[in-house]
Amino acid sequence: MVSSSKMALALLAQGNGLHPAGWIKTGGRADIANDVGYFADMARLAEQGRFDLFFVADTPAARTDNLDAWSRHPMYMNTFEPIVLLTAMAAVTNHIGLGGTASASFYEPYNIARLYASLDHASGGRAAWNVVTSSNDYAARNFGLQALPPHARRYDRAREFVQVVKALWDSYDDDAIICDKQSGVYFDPARFHVIDHQGEFFKVNGALNIARTPQGHPVIIQAGSSSAGRELAAETAEVVFTSDDNLDAAKAFYTDLKGRMARFGRRPDQLKILAGLSPVIGESAQEAEDKYQALQELLHPAVGLTRLAQDLEADLSDLPLDEPIPLDRIPKSANLTKLYFDQITRLIREENLTLRQLYQRYERGNKAIRGTPAQVADLMEEWFTAGACDGYMLIFPVLPDDMRPFVEKVVPELQRRGLFRKEYEGRTLRDHLGLDRPASRYATTLAQAG
């Protein structure tokens, strides 16, 4: 393990950017969703900026209603399956980590264990799996369900799911593949382990058919903010994405989550918390603000209302756009993504926004900054040194337009301040993040017996 006190940086590599109008506003092509070359250029640019992680979000579903809105905001409507895309990125990069989302609600543990072990081998130790339980019923209906199971039940399943995946990753000891031509033995049977898992959700009696990976286990990512999500992260995650838009809330989350780890026998430095950050960069703060407002002007009301309905879990489209939202229209709780739900309800209750103001203000939680390279670096330094995060998930409104000035101007400023690496510290994603390489459970048992 190579330790580092520098901040970590990850890129959310999503099409032409995360703003609903990003595909319209980009100075480049808009028809890039199925172009591996486009993503390869973006991955190489992130690697030029010495980013830790190139990350692909995903959901196993297309939206099937409100098509007028989704046709204007094609989020997940035309997208690569993450493992396929990340394997292609492994061939055109050398250092940057490669992470992708896969749902514990709709896979089997064996599939995930094999896919991400294969990616870790193909990339030389740069794979990461983002564990999610899914957050929309579009996915549920693709798999024969009318709706997602209750929130707590999904997390119960995910906990057991991760346990089985990790056990499968330990099927072979690190030195099990011996390829001894003289004896004719390819692998040592004594260093091969069959798991016999009998749990509430899964029964697995078998082993993975691929060698233990360069990282031992691919890095585990999670993004849950509910109590159940935090417990799962404290027990299993090595990277957590968080979306607080307020420094005090981010510090509270950071302290709470790292404080839970001791109950699971883990140290705080075994988990990196990356705050979502959405930067728009200009030669002046006004130029950056003007760039953002030009995007907002392209936000169609149907898109804004659909985004709100998705995360609030309530349809407000019958309300007047320019009047405050009645409090009795707010649902009492969330079953999908609690963090986004809480942020919308807070804006309604505390700021008394109109419906139009709400959908123009709502950023799906991430901290937004519009300013000069130095101002962006100032905010990043403030949160990092205040103990609100270990680094950032960078969520650019428009790609590749907003990413290039960050790499060319903000990264050198962070390096000048001693906050970010100038060169990669090692070969694997664990090296970049300063994370331990996990020992096999069987190697630990043998050592204790010895």
Side-chain angles (χ1 to χ4, degrees):
M1 181 191 71
V2 179
S3 63
S4 174
S5 59
K6 302 290 193 293
M7 66 174 61
L9 295 182
L11 167 69
L12 180 56
Q14 186 163 326
N16 285 122
L18 212 67
H19 193 281
W23 67 277
I24 301 172
K25 195 64 178 174
T26 179
R29 293 168 46 209
D31 60 336
I32 48 74
N34 311 122
D35 185 345
V36 170
Y38 166 81
F39 287 95
D41 289 342
M42 188 156 43
R44 285 189 287 254
L45 180 58
E47 191 166 77
Q48 176 187 325
R50 305 297 188 265
F51 285 26
D52 296 74
L53 181 66
F54 177 95
F55 177 74
V56 179
D58 190 53
T59 182
R63 278 70 168 129
T64 55
D65 54 16
N66 297 320
L67 293 183
D68 178 58
W70 292 119
S71 69
R72 300 173 184 276
H73 175 29
M75 182 179 184
Y76 300 126
M77 295 301 289
N78 180 22
T79 183
F80 278 111
E81 189 284 320
I83 289 287
V84 172
L85 180 59
L86 293 170
T87 302
M89 297 304 98
V92 298
T93 57
N94 297 303
H95 298 282
I96 194 166
L98 303 168
T101 296
S103 176
S105 297
F106 301 114
Y107 273 94
E108 289 293 319
Y110 188 90
N111 302 124
I112 291 297
R114 191 182 190 198
L115 285 166
Y116 282 87
S118 297
L119 178 61
D120 207 47
H121 280 290
S123 63
R126 296 186 279 142
W129 168 36
N130 180 35
V131 184
V132 302
T133 65
S134 292
S135 60
N136 67 70
D137 291 334
Y138 302 114
R141 292 193 288 271
N142 268 353
F143 293 88
L145 304 174
Q146 187 58 36
L148 289 172
H151 186 274
R153 194 66 175 160
R154 300 202 307 273
Y155 274 96
D156 289 341
R157 187 181 196 272
R159 177 172 287 102
E160 186 180 337
F161 192 110
V162 173
Q163 291 170 355
V164 176
V165 168
K166 287 185 172 182
L168 287 167
W169 281 338
D170 286 340
S171 294
Y172 285 93
D173 291 345
D174 285 318
D175 55 357
I177 309 297
I178 56 177
C179 299
D180 188 334
K181 293 183 179 181
Q182 186 171 359
S183 67
V185 175
Y186 183 80
F187 70 92
D188 182 351
R191 303 176 200 174
F192 176 75
H193 309 280
V194 176
I195 76 165
D196 185 12
H197 177 87
Q198 304 289 324
E200 180 181 2
F201 297 93
F202 304 105
K203 292 179 172 56
V204 181
N205 181 262
L208 200 59
N209 59 344
I210 190 169
R212 200 158 191 264
T213 76
Q215 293 189 105
H217 295 172
V219 171
I220 297 288
I221 303 172
Q222 209 207 327
S225 62
S226 65
S227 180
R230 295 185 195 200
E231 282 294 290
L232 182 62
E235 181 180 357
T236 65
E238 296 167 298
V239 174
V240 164
F241 301 149
T242 183
S243 300
D244 287 303
D245 59 358
N246 173 275
L247 177 59
D248 289 338
K251 288 170 64 176
F253 178 90
Y254 187 96
T255 301
D256 176 76
L257 181 51
K258 297 227 175 185
R260 296 173 186 241
M261 296 176 68
R263 295 203 305 275
F264 301 102
R266 302 183 66 203
R267 306 187 312 271
D269 65 352
Q270 293 177 302
L271 171 64
K272 304 299 180 183
I273 296 176
L274 305 187
L277 181 66
S278 181
V280 177
I281 300 160
E283 292 300 318
S284 67
Q286 187 60 54
E287 179 184 307
E289 183 64 32
D290 291 344
K291 287 169 66 174
Y292 179 74
Q293 291 305 324
L295 273 175
Q296 290 297 84
E297 290 173 6
L298 294 172
L299 185 60
H300 193 279
V303 175
L305 293 173
T306 298
R307 293 173 78 209
L308 287 178
Q310 179 183 15
D311 290 342
L312 185 62
E313 301 177 42
D315 183 4
L316 305 180
S317 60
D318 61 314
L319 296 176
L321 288 178
D322 297 307
E323 294 180 14
I325 299 162
L327 297 183
D328 62 5
R329 294 295 299 272
I330 304 174
K332 296 192 183 313
S333 62
N335 185 48
L336 300 179
T337 305
K338 184 176 184 299
L339 178 63
Y340 301 151
F341 176 90
D342 289 346
Q343 286 164 345
I344 296 173
T345 57
R346 185 173 67 247
L347 285 170
I348 296 172
R349 293 181 188 281
E350 296 180 2
E351 301 193 31
N352 197 33
L353 300 179
T354 68
L355 191 52
R356 190 190 305 275
Q357 290 170 332
L358 180 63
Y359 75 65
Q360 289 187 337
R361 277 279 304 279
Y362 178 50
E363 294 280 355
R364 232 185 182 203
N366 304 293
K367 178 63 179 176
I369 178 167
R370 299 180 281 277
T372 65
Q375 289 171 327
V376 173
D378 286 344
L379 182 139
M380 296 176 72
E381 181 173 10
E382 179 187 13
W383 280 47
F384 181 67
T385 57
C389 63
D390 298 305
Y392 298 90
M393 168 58 77
L394 293 162
I395 303 167
F396 294 105
V398 182
L399 287 171
D401 300 34
D402 290 329
M403 182 181 173
R404 189 167 295 280
F406 185 92
V407 170
E408 295 177 350
K409 297 178 180 180
V410 178
V411 166
E413 179 63 20
L414 296 172
Q415 292 169 333
R416 186 188 67 77
R417 300 183 189 194
L419 296 169
F420 188 60
R421 69 170 63 84
K422 293 184 177 179
E423 299 295 339
Y424 285 105
E425 297 89 351
R427 287 286 302 159
T428 72
L429 178 56
R430 290 184 179 277
D431 289 336
H432 307 339
L433 295 171
L435 295 171
D436 296 331
R437 184 181 189 274
S440 166
R441 67 200 61 213
Y442 304 107
T444 303
T445 301
L446 289 173
Q448 291 171 344

